[in-house]
Amino acid sequence: MQKPVHDDINRYIQLINIERNEEIRQYRQSINTLTIPERKKNGTTWYPINIANEEIGLGGKLMIDLQRPVNAYENHLFQQGQTAAIFVNAKVQNEKNPVLNGTIVWVRDNTMRVALGVDTLPDWVDEGKLGIDLLYNETTFREMDFVLQRLLKAEDSRLGELRDVLFGYTEPQFNPIDTTINYANLNQVQNQAVQHIAAARDMAIIHGPPGTGKTTTLVQAILHTLKLDEQVLVTTASNTAVDLLTEKLCAAGVTVLRLGHPARINETLLEHTLDGQMAMHPDYKRLQNFRKEAHNYRREARKYKRTFGSEQREERKMMLEQAKLLMDHAKMTERYIVQHLVDKAQVICCTLVGASSMELKGKQFKTVFIDEASQAMLPATFIPIAKAQKVVFAGDHCQLPPTVKSMEAQQKGLAISLFEHCIQHHPQAAIMLQVQYRMNEKIMQFSSNEFYDSQLQAAPEVQHHLLGDARMQTLLSTPLDFIDTAGCGFDEVLNGNTQSLSNQQEAKLLLDYLTQIYERLEIECTHTVWELTVGIISPYKQQVVLIKEMLKNYALLMRYGTQISVNTVDGFQGQERDIVAISLVRSNDRNEIGFLKDLRRMNVALTRARKKLVVVGDSATLGSHHFYERWIQYTETAEAYHSAWEFLYD
């Protein structure tokens, strides 16, 4: 008999197919349906390229350096960690689809390093001009579909029990709370969260609003769990978050194995990666010798081109056979080393999809921790859960949601994370951290009122901190400013190519205001000005591009350029700065605010600042939305409201 939970799972199977089809459509539109010059213009292709260098890297992966012409000026979308395909712009005999897939290790100017999945280059690389395309990555969808199919069949098993709890059909169970669990580095609520996790038999949730020490609490919970469990699995939605947890756990003295492609991992953590630890293993030298000899044999075999006699043909065959034998030895040695490293690690860290890697095939864990769970699509979250007896979520569903490209899939629920689903169905399983250690209380209070039922408290050490002396009554003595451009004629402009908005006059006002802040800093705080960090945020990519260009003309700000970063809201997720300045861009007579209606993104933007938050926007446009109407009222009450006219003609 079909259960209601099966209907839920089948619905998610349909949703990820809708999302997959949308991603494929977007990919084909940007790659397959365009000519090479069009793809170059879109930034998804480098052409022509040449291979400047090749070498064997860690893990036996062939690394190649690709160069495009020194006079190439096109902007591009290639970034570290993305998958790409090298192609040849020529017909190749006996090759239906001559492409070579790899992962980008780094991109610098007109040079790109790519890690390939082969140990030698195919012959066709010499057949014509080469290029490289960005690839659509099917792996995540394949693994999501696989785990959903497992959930459909998971009856009379621990996975089936967890499935029913997490989908809301049965209640999670808890053992009695052990109040003796108490760590000096945690506050009262953080300790309650660790106690709660220890008592959970099925699942527990750490709800961590901005600045409340979610990562600190999660790390302590992992350390406490290791007192009972020999090994735990720690996963997150992003490589950046995996790297952060790896760093924190290593600093706590835990043996950590960081799984994942080295190109996607912070280079400071390479010694903790599988490849890095393999390189230090006593059997690695033998493995390396097998690979080098095999590579040499294959390289020699490649020297024989189309026209050669029977003797050369036999010699080439012998070389290739010898290379295969050596690679078989290498693979056996590698499997032994990997198994040894996986077994001895106390904590294995990886992304959600990384939990499906071959290194973890067949492994089960008593406890699986999932950080950033509120940013992951529900089916992806189940990938590590399939290896769990108990799961611990950490995140904040009032910040960035999962990224879903299909509007249909969004509207049908794919943008609701498993974290949010569980916190709605099982509120008793969640502990919300309430003391924040980042923001001045005036910066904090609006988001606390809007998103967290006014429950956030500013820790005493940050409650009143400012850039300068509160008694001096300058720009440095106020933690919050809203600069209202209503009536100034600062109209938004749509870029026809990017379909993104910008507002040049608003950007100028913001940079002028930051310049005034730095002028006061140099007067009042000469000993600390070089230590202050600044984040300039806009929800619109075109405004980010514009501000970066305009910033070059501000000599005083450029003097501190290494401390100033400009990015979209997503680019600042999980980060904080001493000063944050936000350009909201929207200004029109139609009262349209577009995706400023995504209030969770605004929550992220408004909670990045420690000592000074500056928001620039048009109240006449923004005030049509109740959220921004309340924001404007809040700034008036907090004596933080200013008309732009105060700064235009002073």
Side-chain angles (χ1 to χ4, degrees):
M1 180 178 174
Q2 179 116 328
K3 296 181 178 179
V5 71
H6 293 145
D7 295 332
D8 292 339
I9 295 166
N10 281 318
R11 183 169 64 88
Y12 277 102
I13 290 172
Q14 293 173 359
L15 290 179
I16 64 168
N17 280 330
I18 293 170
E19 177 69 3
R20 176 195 278 117
N21 290 336
E22 176 60 19
E23 285 215 9
I24 292 172
R25 186 193 69 78
Q26 292 185 19
Y27 167 74
R28 286 177 176 165
Q29 184 176 359
S30 63
I31 299 286
N32 294 354
T33 62
L34 303 177
T35 64
I36 289 177
E38 289 172 330
R39 298 193 325 248
K40 287 173 66 176
K41 185 177 180 180
N42 284 352
T44 56
T45 296
W46 279 16
Y47 179 87
I49 57 173
N50 65 77
I51 299 173
N53 179 54
E54 62 175 283
E55 59 186 62
I56 295 291
L58 286 174
K61 297 176 178 67
L62 182 61
M63 302 279 192
I64 59 172
D65 293 346
L66 304 175
Q67 288 183 339
R68 62 177 181 170
V70 293
N71 60 349
Y73 60 87
E74 298 95 350
N75 291 325
H76 63 83
L77 302 176
F78 292 87
Q79 295 180 10
Q80 174 186 343
Q82 293 176 314
T83 53
I86 299 166
F87 65 89
V88 59
N89 191 21
K91 289 186 178 180
V92 180
Q93 196 173 15
N94 300 324
E95 287 281 357
K96 289 184 179 179
N97 188 27
V99 294
L100 194 56
N101 294 349
T103 303
I104 300 169
V105 180
W106 49 253
V107 184
R108 296 170 190 158
D109 298 323
N110 289 321
T111 304
M112 179 192 313
R113 172 161 288 191
V114 179
L116 302 175
V118 298
D119 47 30
T120 188
L121 291 171
D123 291 342
W124 57 256
V125 298
D126 301 318
E127 295 292 329
K129 287 185 177 180
L130 300 177
I132 185 167
D133 286 327
L134 273 181
L135 273 188
Y136 158 73
N137 194 342
E138 169 69 18
T139 304
T140 300
F141 288 101
R142 185 177 64 244
E143 295 301 333
M144 286 194 293
D145 187 69
F146 179 76
V147 78
L148 289 174
Q149 296 296 338
R150 281 192 64 188
L151 289 176
L152 282 175
K153 302 169 185 173
E155 305 302 331
D156 302 320
S157 68
R158 183 55 183 155
L159 179 58
E161 292 171 351
L162 277 180
R163 174 200 67 190
D164 293 347
V165 169
L166 298 175
F167 272 100
Y169 291 101
T170 58
E171 292 297 315
Q173 301 299 307
F174 292 87
N175 295 320
I177 296 291
D178 181 359
T179 57
T180 65
I181 298 172
N182 190 68
Y183 292 96
N185 63 315
L186 302 184
N187 64 38
Q188 182 180 359
V189 179
Q190 290 170 335
N191 270 306
Q192 288 173 0
V194 177
Q195 296 166 7
H196 188 65
I197 289 167
R201 293 167 60 183
D202 305 299
M203 54 91 71
I205 300 170
I206 302 175
H207 179 193
T212 54
K214 171 180 67 69
T215 301
T216 299
T217 308
L218 185 62
V219 167
Q220 192 61 66
I222 293 167
L223 296 175
H224 182 81
T225 302
L226 285 171
K227 292 181 178 181
L228 298 175
D229 299 359
E230 290 185 4
Q231 189 178 68
V232 299
L233 177 63
V234 177
T235 69
T236 83
S238 74
N239 279 290
T240 303
V242 181
D243 287 345
L244 175 62
L245 284 170
T246 300
E247 183 181 342
K248 299 286 187 185
L249 289 164
C250 289
V254 175
T255 304
V256 182
L257 179 62
R258 167 64 163 105
L259 295 182
H261 199 292
R264 298 187 175 98
I265 299 171
N266 189 313
E267 60 183 17
T268 62
L269 299 174
L270 288 178
E271 65 179 287
H272 303 292
T273 65
L274 186 60
D275 287 345
Q277 292 192 22
M278 282 179 65
M280 295 183 284
H281 195 277
D283 288 318
Y284 182 70
K285 190 173 182 181
R286 185 157 60 96
L287 169 62
Q288 205 173 26
N289 288 336
F290 284 141
R291 285 176 173 158
K292 281 183 178 178
E293 288 184 48
H295 180 67
N296 289 337
Y297 273 115
R298 288 186 175 177
R299 186 175 56 192
E300 289 297 315
R302 278 190 63 210
K303 291 181 180 179
Y304 295 100
K305 297 295 181 182
R306 301 175 186 83
T307 56
F308 50 82
S310 58
E311 186 176 334
Q312 289 86 352
R313 186 176 290 107
E314 283 300 314
E315 190 167 354
R316 174 179 168 131
K317 181 181 176 183
M318 180 274 294
M319 288 179 178
L320 291 174
E321 287 175 350
Q322 189 63 27
K324 182 180 181 305
L325 181 62
L326 287 165
M327 285 308 298
D328 288 343
H329 287 311
K331 287 173 184 175
M332 288 175 60
T333 306
E334 182 177 29
R335 280 196 293 268
Y336 164 75
I337 296 173
V338 168
Q339 191 63 51
H340 181 244
L341 292 173
V342 168
D343 289 345
K344 78 169 188 176
Q346 291 176 281
V347 178
I348 296 174
C349 287
C350 61
T351 60
L352 301 175
V353 178
S356 66
S357 65
M358 285 299 298
E359 292 84 6
L360 298 183
K361 187 176 182 181
K363 281 193 71 69
Q364 289 290 124
F365 299 86
K366 288 184 180 178
T367 309
V368 169
F369 290 85
I370 303 178
D371 195 13
E372 284 190 342
S374 52
Q375 294 182 48
M377 287 189 285
L378 180 147
T381 312
F382 269 103
I383 296 171
I385 292 172
K387 297 181 176 297
Q389 298 294 308
K390 175 173 99 174
V391 60
V392 178
F393 298 114
D396 179 14
H397 58 297
C398 300
Q399 294 188 62
L400 292 184
T403 299
V404 178
K405 295 182 179 179
S406 165
M407 186 60 67
E408 181 185 356
Q410 276 189 42
Q411 293 171 345
K412 291 183 176 179
L414 192 57
I416 298 174
S417 65
L418 183 59
F419 179 98
E420 184 173 1
H421 183 86
C422 288
I423 220 167
Q424 289 172 352
H425 286 80
H426 305 305
Q428 76 277 19
I431 296 285
M432 189 180 92
L433 308 181
Q434 296 175 359
V435 181
Q436 66 85 16
Y437 299 87
R438 174 185 298 163
M439 297 165 273
N440 181 292
E441 64 179 352
K442 283 192 175 180
I443 299 173
M444 170 204 77
Q445 197 59 53
F446 179 74
S447 282
S448 179
N449 297 344
E450 289 289 320
F451 298 98
Y452 306 107
D453 296 325
S454 303
Q455 293 185 53
L456 293 189
Q457 308 160 34
E461 57 265 39
V462 304
Q463 187 175 14
H464 302 297
H465 68 178
L466 300 165
L467 290 171
D469 191 331
R471 297 167 297 181
M472 294 185 71
Q473 297 298 305
T474 69
L475 293 176
L476 309 188
S477 63
T478 56
L480 178 65
D481 288 315
F482 172 58
I483 303 176
D484 184 3
T485 66
C488 294
F490 291 2
D491 294 336
E492 64 192 49
V493 175
L494 178 67
N495 184 295
N497 292 324
T498 64
Q499 293 299 301
S500 183
L501 293 164
S502 64
N503 191 320
Q504 185 168 4
Q505 292 162 301
E506 183 175 292
K508 182 179 184 302
L509 176 61
L510 182 147
L511 293 173
D512 287 345
Y513 189 75
L514 279 178
T515 299
Q516 292 181 46
I517 289 177
Y518 265 100
E519 287 171 350
R520 290 304 309 177
L521 284 168
E522 291 193 333
I523 295 170
E524 292 186 37
C525 310
T526 53
H527 60 295
T528 60
V529 63
W530 284 101
E531 299 171 7
L532 293 171
T533 57
V534 178
I536 302 175
I537 301 176
S538 179
Y540 290 90
K541 291 181 180 178
Q542 194 61 37
Q543 185 76 341
V544 169
V545 171
L546 176 64
I547 291 173
K548 285 180 177 179
E549 282 301 310
M550 293 177 64
L551 188 60
K552 297 174 184 177
N553 298 319
Y554 284 77
L556 178 58
L557 298 180
M558 288 305 293
R559 189 187 308 165
Y560 303 97
T562 56
Q563 299 152 263
I564 300 175
S565 48
V566 188
N567 213 329
T568 59
V569 179
D570 293 47
F572 277 99
Q573 169 71 7
Q575 301 183 40
E576 57 187 65
R577 299 289 189 273
D578 294 306
I579 305 169
V580 167
I582 304 172
S583 172
L584 295 178
V585 177
R586 300 311 299 256
S587 181
N588 57 72
D589 57 11
R590 304 176 304 280
N591 293 334
E592 291 178 357
I593 65 170
F595 62 75
L596 290 187
K597 293 176 184 175
D598 187 345
L599 303 184
R600 293 196 286 190
R601 273 187 165 75
M602 280 311 303
N603 184 34
V604 172
L606 294 171
T607 55
R608 300 304 97 195
R610 300 187 192 106
K611 301 178 180 180
K612 180 83 171 182
L613 173 64
V614 182
V615 181
V616 184
D618 180 350
S619 66
T621 300
L622 299 169
S624 62
H625 191 284
H626 292 311
F627 174 86
Y628 294 99
E629 182 183 25
R630 291 192 296 272
W631 161 255
I632 294 163
Q633 291 170 353
Y634 173 76
T635 61
E636 290 172 342
T637 303
E639 299 181 341
Y641 175 90
H642 307 276
S643 169
W645 294 105
E646 297 175 35
F647 306 98
L648 292 177
Y649 300 109
D650 58 354

